[in-house]
Amino acid sequence: MANSTLVRAARSPKQSTKDWNGRTFNWAMKLGAFSALILLTAPTIIILIASFSAGETLRFPPPGLSIKWYIALRELPELWAATWNSLWVATFTTLACIVLGFAAALVLTERRSRLTQALEALFMSPIAMPPLSVGLALLVFYNFIGWRVSVTTLVISHIVVGVPYLVRTILVSLSQMDGSFRDASASLGANGWYTFRHITFPLARQGVIAGSFITFLTSFDNITVSLFLSDARTQVLPVRMLTLVQNNLDVRAASIAGVLVFATATLMVLMERFVNLSRFVVTDR
Amino acid sequence: MQAKALLKAGRGWALVFPLTLFLMIFYLAPIVLMVITSLSQAGETEGLSWSQYAEFFGDGFNLKVLWDTVWLGTQTTIVCLLLGYPLALLHSRTRPGNWRSILTFLIVLPLLTSAVVRTFAWIVILGRQGVINSALLSLSIIEEPLRLLSTHHGVIAALSQIQMPLMILPLIASMARLDPNLEAASASLGSPAWRTFWRITFPLTLPGIIAGSMLVFSASVSSFVTPSVIGGGRLMFMPMYIYQQAVSLFNYPFAATISTVLLITVLAVVTLLSSLGSLTRSYTRT
């Protein structure tokens, strides 16, 4: 009896410092997490609310709510042309990246050697490069070989910066593939093409879809590379928007932003449902 | 026989050729060409020289732009780490389910929304009639709108929000690898929360911290849209300097020089951090 009170008495001061310690830790972490969440989400929420303004100028909080600025978007033909350009460029870029990236990823998963490691580093490196440097380098290169700026040069440039994402997600999904699947398939007499269609591709499909989504958005949003490589004819949406945003604070810019945020959010939810997108984003492969 | 074996070995490799060739032509060659251009002499004379670099490093203005850019990247990385770490911890301690999915969504959405959109939102927040100024004015804390746009701090705030997902995602990945038993053991042995954090959680998530810092730093020093729109032409950073020299002044050789300096800066920091990263990874595995 006496013994147990002693223990409790001896323990209690330490217990209280621990409580204090635990409390400050929890508070500090909660405060940080909360501030981070506010910082992450507030701008998007503010721009969405501002885009439904009934007023003539962009301000927050808006004087009233309406969708008139979304309707006003219909009267911006050059914006639609730029959107159209962006969609085409992003589509071609993604298709090319799927073909190039898938083929390369197959080899990288099947063989592990110094050479494949070096190749993987090469394929991933465009992510780490300053995109403006890549854009400038490509501009200098096209000038040197005498190519004029066109949709083709734009697509080529977007492939360079977009292909790492696809290679990466395909590698992630194929890394879950056990080599024995393929060997079993081969030993049962299936030919290479059959194995690819029925074993490799179904396994890699989620990686391909998630990677295509990310590559498509990267290309669709790309501005730093496009800035050097598009002229009036091949102007893409982000460049068009940049000029719109830089010149005047137009509510229309907010409503374009609203459309893009809604589209991205919807696609993200769909992607999460079908291919578990976050699995590919949250990985430290 | 040997030729056949070679052919067989080659067949396994064939699929990697298209992408390798493509990147050699449209990625490595342009970068080499850019570096050569940066070494060309002013005034159309043949031969390579360091004159562009001498010009770059000889001028205080250029050095200030380089320093401002590196400093901006460092500050943004620190803000992202200080705020992103607690959020990543919250994410990893939320049980898988709806709340966790919502958190993931909120973290990833900014990453996938257009950079122009995100930057534009910050104009609405920081502008003269923006959210912060109208709030402070209506509370009578200030009498005149503050100038928040075109300031170094404004650029840091906007960049931190824009790059934060790049910090949080590797952190979440490294926290997922952390054995929760270690923290539980430390706590049950009477170690206070802060000590458990500094002795267990923090060191074991160092690979994530380093990976995140690497991504945030290189994205921040090479970002163009946010510094140029928020900075509004009053602040100058390396990417804008490249653009100005190339597109406004058609001075390709000097633009190539600035671009190469930026490239080397980024690569140096990335190499430094990734060697630190592999050091900490080998340390956390044992």
Side-chain angles (χ1 to χ4, degrees):
Chain A
M1 188 66 200
N3 203 359
S4 80
T5 25
L6 239 177
V7 169
R8 205 176 297 150
R11 228 180 181 180
S12 65
K14 203 181 169 194
Q15 199 70 35
S16 76
T17 54
K18 193 184 158 190
D19 270 346
W20 179 81
N21 198 300
R23 222 174 281 158
T24 53
F25 179 79
N26 279 336
W27 275 109
M29 286 299 153
K30 271 184 191 148
L31 187 73
F34 189 67
S35 322
L37 267 182
I38 299 265
L39 187 65
L40 273 178
T41 50
T44 315
I45 294 169
I46 286 169
I47 199 86
L48 283 181
I49 295 173
S51 71
F52 287 103
S53 172
E56 296 304 310
T57 55
L58 188 76
R59 56 187 312 156
F60 188 91
L65 296 177
S66 85
I67 55 161
K68 67 173 180 180
W69 294 108
Y70 282 88
I71 296 167
L73 286 185
R74 286 193 312 194
E75 288 143 32
L76 282 172
E78 71 281 5
L79 193 80
W80 287 104
T83 310
W84 201 238
N85 275 339
S86 280
L87 286 173
W88 272 117
V89 169
T91 308
F92 282 131
T93 302
T94 310
L95 288 176
C97 285
I98 292 174
V99 174
L100 291 172
F102 197 95
L106 277 179
V107 177
L108 294 191
T109 31
E110 277 180 32
R111 288 153 199 266
R112 301 304 307 165
S113 67
R114 292 185 87 88
L115 182 61
T116 54
Q117 275 170 7
L119 284 174
E120 193 180 329
L122 168 70
F123 300 158
M124 292 298 159
S125 66
I127 294 188
M129 290 283 174
L132 213 71
S133 296
V134 177
L136 178 71
L138 281 163
L139 180 67
V140 171
F141 179 72
Y142 294 141
N143 282 341
F144 181 74
I145 59 174
W147 283 9
R148 299 257 328 264
V149 179
S150 67
V151 175
T152 317
T153 56
L154 203 55
V155 169
I156 290 174
S157 319
H158 281 203
I159 295 172
V160 172
V161 288
V163 84
Y165 299 99
L166 255 160
V167 172
R168 198 181 124 105
T169 52
I170 296 172
L171 283 180
V172 169
S173 59
L174 284 180
S175 68
Q176 293 147 355
M177 176 171 82
D178 200 331
S180 58
F181 275 149
R182 219 178 26 245
D183 296 343
S185 171
S187 71
L188 289 170
N191 63 22
W193 174 242
Y194 188 92
T195 309
F196 175 80
R197 260 189 63 198
H198 293 274
I199 309 283
T200 316
F201 190 73
L203 279 165
R205 191 163 49 202
Q206 291 206 331
V208 173
I209 297 173
S212 308
F213 173 64
I214 298 172
T215 305
F216 186 89
L217 283 183
T218 322
S219 163
F220 192 76
D221 288 343
N222 185 295
I223 187 158
T224 27
V225 172
S226 311
L227 214 48
F228 286 121
L229 301 167
S230 62
D231 54 15
R233 221 164 18 89
T234 60
Q235 195 165 56
V236 286
L237 184 63
V239 178
R240 181 80 226 160
M241 277 183 71
L242 183 68
T243 32
L244 199 69
V245 166
Q246 268 174 334
N247 293 339
N248 47 352
L249 271 182
D250 201 322
V251 191
R252 285 178 304 186
S255 51
I256 304 166
V259 172
L260 289 179
V261 170
F262 281 126
T264 314
T266 314
L267 280 174
M268 254 184 76
V269 172
L270 288 177
M271 283 291 153
E272 189 65 38
R273 275 210 109 80
F274 292 120
V275 298
N276 194 0
L277 181 71
S278 47
R279 178 160 65 94
F280 295 99
V281 187
V282 186
T283 174
D284 60 350
R285 200 200 123 85
Chain B
M1 191 64 205
Q2 209 183 5
K4 207 175 172 186
L6 211 69
L7 204 68
K8 203 179 167 204
R11 214 167 55 190
W13 285 99
L15 288 173
V16 88
F17 286 142
L19 184 57
T20 313
L21 196 67
F22 181 87
L23 287 180
M24 277 180 171
I25 298 174
F26 292 109
Y27 171 61
L28 292 181
I31 286 178
V32 170
L33 191 67
M34 183 184 77
V35 175
I36 293 174
T37 311
S38 77
L39 290 168
S40 70
Q41 279 169 334
E44 307 282 316
T45 40
E46 292 286 314
L48 303 178
S49 85
W50 292 102
S51 61
Q52 301 279 351
Y53 288 89
E55 194 188 324
F56 183 88
F57 288 105
D59 188 339
F61 175 78
N62 301 330
L63 292 178
K64 188 176 178 306
V65 172
L66 178 62
W67 170 249
D68 283 351
T69 310
V70 171
W71 184 224
L72 178 77
T74 314
Q75 286 171 307
T76 309
T77 309
I78 293 171
V79 173
C80 285
L81 181 61
L82 285 180
L83 295 178
Y85 199 97
L87 184 56
L89 205 63
L90 179 73
H91 182 278
S92 70
R93 294 197 176 159
T94 309
R95 258 176 285 133
N98 286 341
W99 280 113
R100 194 174 189 163
S101 308
I102 291 172
L103 272 182
T104 313
F105 178 80
L106 292 180
I107 293 167
V108 179
L109 183 65
L111 188 68
L112 296 178
T113 15
S114 153
V116 184
V117 170
R118 290 178 283 173
T119 304
F120 182 56
W122 279 95
I123 300 180
V124 181
I125 296 174
L126 300 173
R128 277 183 74 83
Q129 296 193 319
V131 180
I132 294 181
N133 270 325
S134 33
L136 292 177
L137 279 171
S138 64
L139 293 171
S140 311
I141 296 173
I142 52 168
E143 279 161 14
E144 295 247 305
L146 300 172
R147 196 166 62 89
L148 300 167
L149 284 177
S150 319
T151 62
H152 192 78
H153 289 102
V155 177
I156 295 174
L159 261 187
S160 306
Q161 185 249 336
I162 290 166
Q163 316 292 9
M164 193 152 359
L166 295 178
M167 176 66 84
I168 296 179
L169 295 173
L171 282 176
I172 291 176
S174 75
M175 284 170 189
R177 291 182 161 202
L178 184 71
D179 186 351
N181 290 330
L182 289 174
E183 283 171 329
S186 164
S188 73
L189 290 171
S191 174
W194 281 105
R195 202 197 307 170
T196 305
F197 175 74
W198 287 116
R199 294 279 174 86
I200 310 275
T201 322
F202 184 78
L204 288 178
T205 49
L206 266 177
I209 294 172
I210 289 169
S213 304
M214 204 157 86
L215 291 174
V216 171
F217 183 85
S218 53
S220 303
V221 295
S222 43
S223 80
F224 172 77
V225 177
T226 313
S228 60
V229 174
I230 305 282
R234 293 178 61 114
L235 302 171
M236 180 64 94
F237 299 103
M238 296 289 274
M240 298 151 70
Y241 201 21
I242 298 172
Y243 183 74
Q244 184 211 53
Q245 291 293 324
V247 174
S248 313
L249 303 173
F250 294 105
N251 189 353
Y252 287 129
F254 197 57
T257 306
I258 308 168
S259 182
T260 310
V261 172
L262 178 66
L263 200 82
I264 291 170
T265 312
V266 170
L267 289 183
V269 173
V270 166
T271 314
L272 183 79
L273 284 176
S274 66
S275 55
L276 263 178
S278 45
L279 207 72
T280 55
R281 262 200 303 281
S282 61
Y283 159 72
T284 51
R285 268 196 197 123
T286 49

